[in-house]
Amino acid sequence: MENKIMSEPLESMHSLEFLGNFLNDIPMLGNEFLKNPLHDWVIALFIILGGIIVTRTVYWFIEKYLKGLAEKTKTKLDDILIETLKKPLVFAGALTGVWFGLKYLNFSGYPGVDTWINGFFSVLITFVAASLLCKLFEAVLDQYVAPYFEDTDNDLDDALLPIFRRGVRTIVWVVAIIMALDNAGYDITTVLAGLGVAGMAFALAAKDSLSNLFGGFTIFTDKPFSLKDRIKIGGFDGSVTEIGLRSPRLKTLDGRIVTIPNSKISDNSVENISSEPSRKVVVNLGLTYDMDDAKIERAMAVLREIAEEHKEDVEDDFAVGFNEFGDFALNVVFVYRITKGSDILGTQTSVNMAILKRFNAEGLEMAFPSQTIYNKSI
């Protein structure tokens, strides 16, 4: 299907009839070359040179004035547009001038030449437009998107960004090639059918890889965890050491490295332990049954004092209570939260050591499972 713009006569060429009549009066220019008078070739050359002069003038204007105005604005988008578009637009303008120059000539004596010229230049224009879109896309990506990802501690975005860049470029060029073939007069139905079959075969062959790739996109968008986070998934408990395009890696509490495919992560529940605002600790203390109410009150007071002494690592919303008459002991519960960023094991050790020391000093004896048997003689 030929482009309507290419098939339509160039009305602007009528303005060159005067120049044609003038050149026709020169005897030597009345000779023909490829069934076109030489004066028509001269006019075609003038059209080409005019197109080049106009495009160079536009380029000079952009460099001289527009570029300076863009540098004074706060946004960088206009600078990107001018720097990216100026050379391709100048090239496209010069190419259009050559096209119009050749269109002025009459190649009716050579069947197929006009069609070939139209197809050739339409292909070139399409490729220039595709190159222009790719350059503009990469410029915006480098200016606005890439700096944002550089500040993240997640290496998955560093892996996905080049793939996204290449994917968009591939799509643009595939569409450009299809449009170019269509403008050149080729039947693209067979091409599209072949691409569909090839795409299905590729999708079936790379099903697992694509599943992991889309799982990586899920991790990137949902962000269920980040590097160095401790997570639980699929029976594994460990810290994230690497987030890759295919799979993240965990270092378990045993020091082993576990690789989990991204597809498994997107299909399973992930418990992010590092995301908890604070670590809740429940301490159940069993006191012996020979304790009176005063000693139980004192035990609870000691626990409150210990929580106050550790206020840098323990949050203020702790709770202490006498909650149960157990089988072997009077149970006192101590619930507290370790603040985020504190040493969890170190804080627990410090609190437990304080409890042990204070209870021993106060004579608050903790019970252990035991039974008392009474024998009644008859």
Side-chain angles (χ1 to χ4, degrees):
M1 181 178 60
E2 294 186 357
N3 195 315
K4 293 183 179 180
I5 298 178
M6 295 184 289
S7 61
E8 290 178 358
L10 302 177
E11 297 180 358
S12 59
M13 297 300 178
H14 294 304
S15 60
L16 298 174
E17 291 182 357
F18 175 78
L19 180 60
N21 295 330
F22 172 75
L23 295 176
N24 195 29
D25 294 334
I26 303 176
M28 63 176 297
L29 296 181
N31 299 324
E32 292 187 353
F33 177 70
L34 297 179
K35 297 184 179 181
N36 283 278
L38 291 181
H39 63 79
D40 286 347
W41 284 96
V42 173
I43 293 176
L45 180 61
F46 278 139
I47 294 174
I48 295 172
L49 292 177
I52 295 175
I53 292 173
V54 169
T55 53
R56 293 302 300 178
T57 303
V58 171
Y59 184 84
W60 173 84
F61 179 77
I62 292 174
E63 283 286 324
K64 185 70 175 179
Y65 296 102
L66 292 185
K67 190 174 180 180
L69 292 175
E71 291 176 352
K72 295 179 181 179
T73 60
K74 295 181 180 180
T75 179
K76 290 289 184 181
L77 184 59
D78 49 4
D79 301 89
I80 294 174
L81 289 174
I82 290 176
E83 193 64 30
T84 305
L85 300 181
K86 62 180 181 181
K87 289 185 179 180
L89 286 178
V90 168
F91 178 75
L95 195 64
T96 304
V98 176
W99 190 2
F100 283 174
L102 293 178
K103 287 288 290 183
Y104 181 80
L105 300 173
N106 184 11
F107 294 103
S108 58
Y110 301 92
V113 172
D114 286 332
T115 302
W116 185 88
I117 291 175
N118 291 334
F120 176 75
F121 280 97
S122 66
V123 168
L124 288 182
I125 291 294
T126 303
F127 286 167
V128 169
S131 176
L132 184 62
L133 286 176
C134 289
K135 288 180 180 294
L136 184 61
F137 165 73
E138 291 190 354
V140 174
L141 198 68
D142 292 336
Q143 181 67 33
Y144 293 101
V145 181
Y148 170 76
F149 291 138
E150 288 177 357
D151 296 334
T152 63
D153 57 356
N154 191 338
D155 58 353
L156 179 61
D157 48 20
D158 298 328
L160 290 177
L161 192 61
I163 293 179
F164 178 66
R165 185 193 303 268
R166 287 194 295 267
V168 172
R169 293 188 61 181
T170 300
I171 292 173
V172 170
W173 279 107
V174 167
V175 173
I177 291 173
I178 293 175
M179 292 180 61
L181 291 175
D182 183 47
N183 290 334
Y186 291 95
D187 184 9
I188 63 171
T189 305
T190 305
V191 177
L192 293 176
L195 289 175
V197 173
M200 292 179 61
F202 175 78
L204 291 175
K207 181 179 66 173
D208 293 338
S209 298
L210 290 175
S211 178
N212 290 324
L213 179 62
F214 285 114
F217 277 109
T218 302
I219 296 174
F220 174 70
T221 53
D222 293 346
K223 294 182 178 180
F225 53 81
S226 301
L227 282 176
K228 300 180 180 180
D229 282 356
R230 181 185 170 188
I231 65 172
K232 289 183 179 180
I233 178 173
F236 297 103
D237 184 353
S239 299
V240 181
T241 60
E242 181 180 344
I243 303 177
L245 183 61
R246 181 186 176 275
S247 59
R249 294 184 179 182
L250 304 183
K251 186 176 183 180
T252 64
L253 301 181
D254 297 328
R256 298 185 179 94
I257 299 297
V258 179
T259 301
I260 303 176
N262 288 331
S263 58
K264 299 296 183 182
I265 294 177
S266 60
D267 294 337
N268 288 275
S269 299
V270 179
E271 181 182 357
N272 192 328
I273 299 175
S274 298
S275 64
E276 62 182 2
S278 58
R279 174 63 60 87
K280 180 181 179 181
V281 180
V282 179
V283 180
N284 287 291
L285 300 172
L287 302 180
T288 59
Y289 260 96
D290 59 358
M291 296 285 172
D292 56 17
D293 59 329
K295 287 190 175 182
I296 296 295
E297 289 285 354
R298 181 56 187 161
M300 292 190 292
V302 169
L303 293 175
R304 295 188 185 95
E305 292 172 2
I306 292 174
E308 292 293 339
E309 292 171 358
H310 292 80
K311 60 183 180 180
E312 292 184 358
D313 300 314
V314 176
E315 294 184 354
D316 295 333
D317 58 343
F318 59 86
V320 178
F322 176 30
N323 69 326
E324 185 180 8
F325 291 91
D327 293 335
F328 310 105
L330 303 173
N331 195 72
V332 175
V333 64
F334 177 30
V335 182
Y336 65 94
R337 294 180 180 275
I338 302 175
T339 58
K340 189 176 181 64
S342 298
D343 183 359
I344 294 175
L345 184 58
T347 302
Q348 284 183 281
T349 300
S350 178
V351 170
N352 290 338
M353 289 296 294
I355 293 173
L356 183 61
K357 291 178 181 179
R358 293 288 299 275
F359 272 40
N360 288 335
E362 298 279 349
L364 303 172
E365 185 178 356
M366 284 183 279
F368 55 88
S370 61
Q371 289 182 337
T372 302
I373 298 175
Y374 296 92
N375 291 325
K376 184 177 182 181
S377 60
I378 300 176

